[in-house]
Amino acid sequence: MAEKRILVTGAVGQIGSELTMELRRRFGNDRVVATGRKTKPSKELEESGPFHFIDVSKIETVAKIVKEYDVGTIYHLAAILSAVGENNPVLAWQVNVGGLFNCLEVAREYGCALFTPSSIGAFGPTTPLDHTPQVTIQRPTSMYGVTKVSGELLCDYYHTRFGVDTRGLRYPGIISNVTLPGGGTTDYAVEIYYEAIKHGRYTCFLKEGTRLDMMYMPDAVEGAIQLMEADPGKLRHRNAYNVTAMSFAPEDIAAEIAKHVPGFTMDYDVDPVRQSIADSWPNSMDDSAAREDWGWNPKYDLAAMTEDMLKVLGERHARGEF
Ligand code: AKB
């Protein structure tokens, strides 16, 4: 019998574009079906394996692909990020909750395993903000957070009630150099590298002292695949695991960049919407449950990530890509 295929939704997005290519490298190009909603995929993504446009808020479009390709695992990444969600709460609910609900229903019907990211956004101002425990108060104040908590509950429900193999990670801010993030609160930590290379300076929309958990993309991709490959018997949590790799404030990342970009400077022009979202999120999470249950062990800290980001983006800039 042919091996079941893997479906990635949101494959054109920040995480999806890199996760899809890594899944294709590991499991074979033809085994990984990439999907997006509107944005044109890169040439590499489109030509290395199957690609389709679907709309996760229309269940029949998800079911059709799952049936046609005999999908066994869904990486459901299509989502609206926190700042965009705050500007358009209705859209955030429809995509983040409606889309996940549809994917869970399809997973139930066709017997698929399902990965979906939760976020540090699933926490709120009444959560302990330092060493945030795996199981704790979750009363977020952003619409994004409301959709993430709802999604975690749905994953728990589908696992307990229907036996769907649901797995998830509470991602922190993800820093990457292939596809830009689309409207999150932690985006400053990506933009700062592009601006450092282009202009040697950056204006930050979060204020000094705003500490948040962060992670470099190679660890984010590895974590998702590692969790999906983990022994199901070892997984104590089916909603989402806390995972982090580093925690820093804007001035820390600026200081690290300045070690490589002489004369680099940063000033601040605070965006009140994103600042208030960031203030409601943890400073640093406790990810010991992920370490114990399935061996989470990120490789990149701030120094190693900064070195790699500046090298990769420096090469892209020299090629005239931005
Ligand atoms: C966002 O800032 O919205 C995301 C997240 C932390 O979930 N990057």
Side-chain angles (χ1 to χ4, degrees), residues 123-129 137-142 276-277 279-282:
F123 299 116
T126 50
T127 302
L129 298 185
I137 300 164
Q138 291 187 268
R139 299 291 300 270
T141 44
S142 69
S276 96
I277 294 175
D279 287 342
S280 75
W281 289 356

Side-chain angles (χ1 to χ4, degrees), residues 81-82 119-120 144 171-173 184-186 281:
L81 293 185
S82 56
S119 160
I120 51 173
Y144 178 69
Y171 277 137
T185 301
T186 56
W281 289 356

Side-chain angles (χ1 to χ4, degrees), residues 287-308:
D287 62 5
S288 51
R291 290 173 188 268
E292 282 159 25
D293 289 8
W294 50 275
W296 165 243
N297 185 18
K299 306 270 174 307
Y300 286 87
D301 60 11
L302 178 57
M305 174 179 77
T306 299
E307 209 178 308
D308 200 55

Side-chain angles (χ1 to χ4, degrees), residues 120-292:
I120 51 173
F123 299 116
T126 50
T127 302
L129 298 185
D130 290 301
H131 312 293
T132 306
Q134 171 65 36
V135 180
T136 185
I137 300 164
Q138 291 187 268
R139 299 291 300 270
T141 44
S142 69
M143 182 44 132
Y144 178 69
V146 170
T147 68
K148 287 298 171 187
V149 176
S150 306
E152 288 192 17
L153 292 171
L154 279 172
C155 287
D156 261 345
Y157 180 78
Y158 270 76
H159 178 68
T160 318
R161 174 84 164 81
F162 302 118
V164 176
D165 187 357
T166 56
R167 307 182 186 202
L169 299 177
R170 288 186 188 128
Y171 277 137
I174 305 293
I175 292 143
S176 63
N177 52 48
V178 175
T179 307
L180 287 167
T185 301
T186 56
D187 294 13
Y188 90 85
V190 180
E191 288 170 12
I192 192 170
Y193 288 106
Y194 284 79
E195 292 302 308
I197 285 174
K198 271 196 297 190
H199 302 120
R201 57 175 306 282
Y202 179 62
T203 301
C204 186
F205 60 75
L206 295 184
K207 69 177 186 226
E208 198 176 336
T210 310
R211 275 185 64 221
L212 292 168
D213 283 300
M214 300 279 177
M215 184 184 295
Y216 195 28
M217 184 62 89
D219 284 326
V221 166
E222 185 61 40
I225 299 174
Q226 206 185 335
L227 175 63
M228 290 312 280
E229 299 284 298
D231 174 355
K234 298 231 162 87
L235 303 179
R236 286 174 293 165
H237 305 282
R238 292 311 192 123
N239 53 336
Y241 279 90
N242 283 4
V243 279
T244 184
M246 60 193 98
S247 165
F248 58 75
E251 63 274 21
D252 303 323
I253 187 171
E256 196 58 42
I257 290 173
K259 291 182 190 164
H260 303 264
V261 182
F264 175 74
T265 56
M266 182 173 73
D267 58 7
Y268 297 89
D269 181 12
V270 174
D271 168 12
V273 174
R274 285 181 286 192
Q275 185 64 49
S276 96
I277 294 175
D279 287 342
S280 75
W281 289 356
N283 301 323
S284 75
M285 287 186 289
D286 171 3
D287 62 5
S288 51
R291 290 173 188 268
E292 282 159 25

